[in-house]
Amino acid sequence: MTETSNAIVRFVDVQKSYDGESLVVKKFNLDMEKGEFLTMLGPSGSGKTTCLMMLAGFEPATHGEIYLNDQPINNVPPHKRGIGMVFQNYALFPHMTVAENLAFPLEVRKMSKSEVEQRVQRALDMVQLGEFSSRRPAQLSGGQQQRVAVARALVFDPDVVLMDEPLGALDKNLREQMQYEIKHIHERLGVTVLYVTHDQSEALTMSNRIAVFDDGVVQQLAPPTVLYEEPENAFVANFIGENNVIGGKITRIDGQSCQVDVGESREVQALAVNIGGVGESTTLSLRPERVSLDPGDDCPNVFEGKVEELIYLGDHIRTRMHVCGHDGFIVKIPNSSSHAQLHEGAVVKVGWTMEDCRALDVLN
Amino acid sequence: MSATVESVAPEQMVTADGTPLKVSLARARRRARNRALLLVAPLFLFIFITFFIPIFSMLFRSVENELVGDTLHRTVPLLQNWDESGDTIPGEEVFAALQQDFAEAQKTKSAGRPGRRLNYEKPGFSSLFRKTARKAQKLEPPYREAFIKISKDWGDVEYWRVLKRESGKYTKSYYLSALDFSYDSEGNVVKNPGKESIYIKLFWRTLWMSMLITVLCLVLAYPISYLLSTLPARTSNLLLILVLLPFWTSLLVRTSAWIAILQQEGVINDFLVFLGFLSDDGRLAMIHNQVGTIVAMVHVLLPFMVLPLYSVMKTIPPSYLRAARSLGANPFTAFVRVYVPNTVAGIGAGGILVFIIAIGYYITPALVGGQSGTLISNLIAYHLETSLNWGLAAALGAILLGGVLALYLLYDKIVGIDNMKLG
């Protein structure tokens, strides 16, 4: 192992099993840089929360080593790791006031009374809850409780803060507002955040990098733009954003591009990303907003599409079409003054570039 | 009706037909309240007839004292004029009235009970009354000499003092004796000498043993409840059944089992002798004393502590402890500062439940208490069943009830009844 990395958190070949029969986390490797906001995104049961719990010290790793500031921490108990954590249900102590909740981590660290007061005040100001310091958590709204939980996880200046689906209990508007607030606190303090969520828009909004989990394995670890625009496999392409999926067989590979037979002797030009050899199956992934209507002649992929359904969504019109033998082909038509006027049953030409159509592995 | 509508202030809310909103609301609520009252009425009546009336009539006996005044209804009013602080017994007219009273009592055979009643105050009254009643009809004046001839006790001013003192409709003598006070020969209230003061000693013993039992129950129940609340549902249900199992066994069987285990020839002593920790003649006395009472009562009352604790602990999410740990508290600090304060409701409920049951517990101390392990309840039972001094039993019961209520109020003041959670 090279020990020269400036990673603050490192998972090295971490595996976790609860029952000794199956692995919840299969082989987890991750380097987190200082100051990074990294999100673990995945469906429930994909192992992301388990990884978080292993880092916090509440679950032992079955195999592998976790490093914090280059120190192995597998045998360090949770209270000596110095990691802040925001829990799903906030876990604010109901018998303490807001100020007492915030003072708790400082008091157990035996800080002087004046310093405790000063830090509590600073933390309260940070989340704009100064006037609520003597209230009990039960007297606060969900959003306020959430802010107290964040402040409490940060008040003792931890190197790393873990957040386990902290916004899950809030309604949609408040959730979006809190996303920005957490993002801004992160930017201001420069603290390293490891965030767990199953909500992709949350992950895309806040993160520097996102690790997409499925089945105990990190499918792709990349910044949000890369994740959305250049998914490496069919799972990521499907999980992040909306996606048209077309199955086919590879007929020719030509360097960066490949030709895929999608049935009824139609051939699609696609970007070869994650494919086997000629003759093998592949999944083509195409974002709905990258499909254009009536493309020019230089477009390599032009097909006929029959409009099946139109859904007006204000900023765009979702159009379900029958293209290349697929019924569920979605095209997003932006609502501009000059957009095409379609009606159900119309047959139009649709097309897309080779780069926008990514040939990936087979989705199982 | 119209007048009330007119008097409504302009800003007052009214319903669509002009009735003030408050009146309408009260009317709507009254209907619901009456219906609810109708539903609880049978239970209320049942409790009133079978619980409140007997309890209060029983408690009333601790001050009630009509027997003497009723039987000696001619004598008692005349006694009011007699000065008991002097050394002379009452005059002839009192004795004349006394003769008529006793003659009448003999006819209705009602002289025995007031005699027994006064015997609590001064031994000798019972036989004095019986003797006097037998001969009262044949007495000739002057009655004073005639009575003193029957028994010279009638010439003793102390007997007359007691008679006058205890002739009122109400008496405080039961309470005085329940608190180990009595009257001296001059009629002053004095504390009983150490040897005779048994009730205060027993009250204190009842109090500290109940507290000890409550604390022991808490110490034993806390880990069990914690275990129950953290185990998976299947296992915890099984364990809960084991905790409740004693409820389904007869109390007598359980107490007898403790006798078999703890007695001098019992399992524990035999085992300790077998291991050589005790010599055969140095066997421990663990039953028919305080140890036996405490052990058996802790066992009997443990479920009352486990259940409220368990029900409170089940609602504490495990994330509290995790949060405390992640914030830097070691396991002990996290437990003491975060977990325990959240179980106060259960500790309070279980504690008060166990304590109140223990303070009035009867059967177990009666069976395994021996001399040193009996509680005040055993003495109450003794006065109810054996000595038949119901007034004293009622006074002891009332003091016990008052003590429990006082502790309950104290608890409310310190912890708050609202914080209690029974299940």
Side-chain angles (χ1 to χ4, degrees):
Chain A
M1 287 281 111
T2 51
E3 303 289 340
T4 50
S5 68
N6 54 353
I8 188 163
V9 172
R10 282 176 66 207
F11 286 82
V12 178
D13 294 340
V14 172
Q15 293 182 311
K16 174 72 187 177
S17 171
Y18 285 106
D19 52 5
E21 286 168 9
S22 57
L23 285 168
V24 183
V25 175
K26 282 178 181 154
K27 190 174 181 185
F28 185 46
N29 283 289
L30 177 74
D31 282 17
M32 266 185 90
E33 281 167 31
K34 203 167 170 52
E36 187 174 28
F37 196 120
L38 195 143
T39 298
M40 299 201 275
L41 175 67
S44 53
S46 58
K48 55 194 193 309
T49 299
T50 305
C51 287
L52 199 74
M53 290 300 172
M54 284 192 284
L55 178 53
F58 299 125
E59 292 289 350
T62 313
H63 174 80
E65 190 66 69
I66 303 170
Y67 297 88
L68 180 66
N69 288 323
D70 288 328
Q71 299 295 316
I73 55 167
N74 277 14
N75 294 320
V76 178
H79 63 279
K80 291 189 178 152
R81 295 192 179 191
I83 297 176
M85 186 154 179
V86 180
F87 290 82
Q88 204 164 1
N89 53 5
Y90 319 139
L92 297 175
F93 306 139
H95 59 292
M96 297 184 189
T97 64
V98 169
E100 284 165 348
N101 262 288
L102 293 179
F104 183 82
L106 308 175
E107 280 167 5
V108 297
R109 285 178 171 73
K110 309 245 185 307
M111 285 190 186
S112 72
K113 220 172 164 182
S114 58
E115 189 172 2
V116 168
E117 264 172 39
Q118 197 186 331
R119 280 179 176 237
V120 166
Q121 197 52 49
R122 205 167 50 192
L124 281 170
D125 291 343
M126 178 181 75
V127 292
Q128 291 136 41
L129 284 174
E131 68 221 82
F132 296 101
S133 67
S134 56
R135 292 233 194 138
R136 293 278 165 96
Q139 297 166 304
L140 300 179
S141 71
Q144 289 165 338
Q145 290 184 27
Q146 174 60 56
R147 286 198 208 133
V148 176
V150 171
R152 190 179 66 174
L154 289 166
V155 74
F156 59 100
D157 292 337
D159 294 329
V160 182
V161 175
L162 312 180
M163 300 193 185
D164 183 11
E165 307 210 16
L167 306 180
L170 303 178
D171 62 49
K172 191 169 171 292
N173 284 340
L174 202 55
R175 198 156 61 214
E176 280 170 11
Q177 191 192 328
M178 284 305 299
Q179 286 171 15
Y180 293 120
E181 244 176 82
I182 291 176
K183 188 180 158 85
H184 294 153
I185 288 172
H186 165 252
E187 283 162 3
R188 211 158 60 231
L189 301 181
V191 66
T192 313
V193 179
L194 184 56
Y195 193 97
V196 162
T197 184
H198 62 262
D199 183 325
Q200 49 158 307
S201 74
E202 210 167 287
L204 294 173
T205 308
M206 301 198 281
S207 319
N208 300 126
R209 284 197 295 166
I210 299 172
V212 179
F213 267 72
D214 186 46
D215 201 20
V217 176
V218 175
Q219 302 287 339
Q220 189 171 356
L221 172 61
T225 46
V226 175
L227 215 54
Y228 186 82
E229 292 182 20
E230 297 164 24
E232 273 171 10
N233 58 40
F235 176 82
V236 176
N238 253 348
F239 193 74
I240 308 282
E242 210 173 0
N243 194 40
N244 286 312
V245 176
I246 306 168
K249 269 199 169 43
I250 301 161
T251 52
R252 194 159 56 87
I253 302 177
D254 195 5
Q256 284 271 304
S257 68
C258 63
Q259 202 165 325
V260 177
D261 177 10
V262 294
E264 297 174 22
S265 67
R266 292 192 187 89
E267 300 255 306
V268 175
Q269 303 292 326
L271 189 70
V273 179
N274 185 4
I275 54 172
V278 172
E280 287 187 35
S281 298
T282 182
T283 306
L284 296 177
S285 153
L286 179 63
R287 297 292 180 195
E289 68 273 17
R290 296 292 171 93
V291 179
S292 42
L293 296 179
D294 291 326
D297 289 339
D298 54 342
C299 185
N301 299 303
V302 180
F303 299 96
E304 274 190 353
K306 182 166 171 256
V307 178
E308 302 270 350
E309 197 176 1
L310 289 164
I311 301 163
Y312 181 78
L313 284 170
D315 59 336
H316 71 269
I317 297 154
R318 237 172 102 87
T319 313
R320 189 164 63 82
M321 287 186 169
H322 182 88
V323 175
C324 297
H326 287 265
D327 247 354
F329 194 91
I330 304 292
V331 180
K332 279 186 187 170
I333 304 169
N335 189 359
S336 65
S337 52
S338 61
H339 74 82
Q341 298 295 328
L342 294 177
H343 56 89
E344 278 174 30
V347 176
V348 291
K349 285 217 182 308
V350 294
W352 55 88
T353 65
M354 185 269 284
E355 288 80 12
D356 284 336
C357 185
R358 297 170 69 84
L360 305 171
D361 59 334
V362 180
L363 195 65
N364 42 24
Chain B
M1 192 64 217
S2 63
T4 54
V5 174
E6 276 160 26
S7 69
V8 167
E11 69 269 21
Q12 198 170 347
M13 296 286 285
V14 293
T15 56
D17 63 351
T19 327
L21 197 57
K22 278 189 179 163
V23 175
S24 184
L25 183 68
R27 207 177 290 151
R29 280 203 182 139
R30 195 183 317 132
R31 215 171 299 136
R33 202 174 47 227
N34 287 347
R35 205 174 304 141
L37 219 64
L38 217 63
L39 280 173
V40 297
L43 177 68
F44 179 76
L45 268 180
F46 176 79
I47 288 182
F48 187 76
I49 293 170
T50 62
F51 186 73
F52 273 101
I53 294 179
I55 289 272
F56 280 100
S57 82
M58 190 66 217
L59 289 180
F60 184 61
R61 280 174 192 273
S62 63
V63 290
E64 184 261 359
N65 190 39
E66 289 184 338
L67 205 53
V68 176
D70 280 356
T71 312
L72 307 178
H73 58 95
R74 294 182 189 86
T75 319
V76 168
L78 293 174
L79 267 181
Q80 301 312 311
N81 303 324
W82 172 64
D83 175 23
E84 70 267 36
S85 58
D87 278 339
T88 50
I89 57 169
E92 178 65 15
E93 56 166 353
V94 174
F95 277 95
L98 195 64
Q99 189 270 334
Q100 283 180 311
D101 283 339
F102 266 108
E104 187 183 316
Q106 177 63 12
K107 255 184 249 160
T108 55
K109 301 216 183 301
S110 58
R113 283 174 64 220
R116 272 202 301 280
R117 161 72 190 91
L118 290 169
N119 206 52
Y120 299 142
E121 308 299 327
K122 189 164 174 61
F125 258 113
S126 189
S127 62
L128 177 65
F129 267 46
R130 264 184 281 126
K131 212 188 296 172
T132 311
R134 271 203 307 276
K135 299 175 180 166
Q137 279 170 311
K138 294 173 191 143
L139 287 183
E140 302 283 333
Y143 292 113
R144 190 163 143 159
E145 281 66 32
F147 268 91
I148 291 172
K149 212 177 144 197
I150 295 173
S151 165
K152 61 179 186 321
D153 287 346
W154 285 119
D156 186 345
V157 72
E158 272 184 44
Y159 278 84
W160 284 101
R161 281 182 189 143
V162 172
L163 187 61
K164 180 173 179 185
R165 197 182 69 222
E166 298 304 331
S167 61
K169 267 175 125 54
Y170 302 101
T171 178
K172 55 186 179 191
S173 74
Y174 293 127
Y175 279 99
L176 288 174
S177 35
L179 293 169
D180 286 329
F181 287 97
S182 57
Y183 293 97
D184 64 5
S185 54
E186 265 83 52
N188 303 314
V189 175
V190 289
K191 187 147 179 35
N192 285 349
K195 252 187 194 166
E196 286 167 40
S197 56
I198 45 171
Y199 299 114
I200 294 284
K201 211 174 82 190
L202 264 179
F203 272 120
W204 279 119
R205 185 199 284 167
T206 307
L207 199 67
W208 74 254
M209 275 176 71
S210 301
M211 280 178 177
L212 182 65
I213 287 162
T214 309
V215 170
L216 286 175
C217 275
L218 179 64
V219 169
L220 289 176
Y222 207 91
I224 300 171
S225 314
Y226 182 73
L227 188 69
L228 282 174
S229 67
T230 48
L231 281 176
R234 272 174 69 99
T235 334
S236 76
N237 281 343
L238 187 73
L239 273 179
L240 199 61
I241 288 173
L242 290 182
V243 168
L244 292 177
L245 202 61
F247 271 152
W248 305 334
T249 331
S250 156
L251 187 64
L252 282 170
V253 173
R254 276 184 284 158
T255 313
S256 314
W258 277 115
I259 297 175
I261 292 168
L262 295 176
Q263 66 188 346
Q264 302 230 310
E265 305 297 322
V267 180
I268 291 181
N269 268 317
D270 280 352
F271 190 62
L272 289 176
V273 169
F274 172 75
L275 288 179
F277 289 120
L278 294 175
S279 64
D280 202 26
D281 44 1
R283 286 167 180 261
L284 297 172
M286 291 183 289
I287 200 85
H288 302 304
N289 57 16
Q290 277 174 12
V291 178
T293 306
I294 291 168
V295 168
M297 276 179 70
V298 165
H299 175 234
V300 170
L301 297 177
L302 197 58
F304 293 102
M305 188 64 100
V306 171
L307 289 178
L309 274 179
Y310 168 67
S311 78
V312 168
M313 285 177 175
K314 238 178 113 74
T315 64
I316 300 177
S319 63
Y320 285 179
L321 271 182
R322 286 183 164 182
R325 299 288 309 279
S326 82
L327 293 170
N330 63 40
F332 180 75
T333 312
F335 186 76
V336 170
R337 288 204 49 192
V338 173
Y339 196 81
V340 174
N342 279 301
T343 60
V344 163
I347 296 174
I352 216 157
L353 205 60
V354 169
F355 181 77
I356 287 178
I357 298 177
I359 209 166
Y361 219 72
Y362 165 67
I363 182 95
T364 301
L367 289 173
V368 302
Q371 265 294 314
S372 64
T374 47
L375 302 180
I376 196 71
S377 54
N378 303 105
L379 219 65
I380 295 177
Y382 166 80
H383 283 304
L384 275 176
E385 291 167 353
T386 312
S387 83
L388 298 181
N389 189 350
W390 285 19
L392 183 55
L396 289 170
I399 292 171
L400 193 61
L401 180 63
V404 170
L405 285 178
L407 286 169
Y408 190 76
L409 290 176
L410 192 74
Y411 173 89
D412 185 31
K413 200 105 189 158
I414 297 170
V415 186
I417 289 301
D418 301 343
N419 288 333
M420 190 163 85
K421 203 176 162 203
L422 278 174

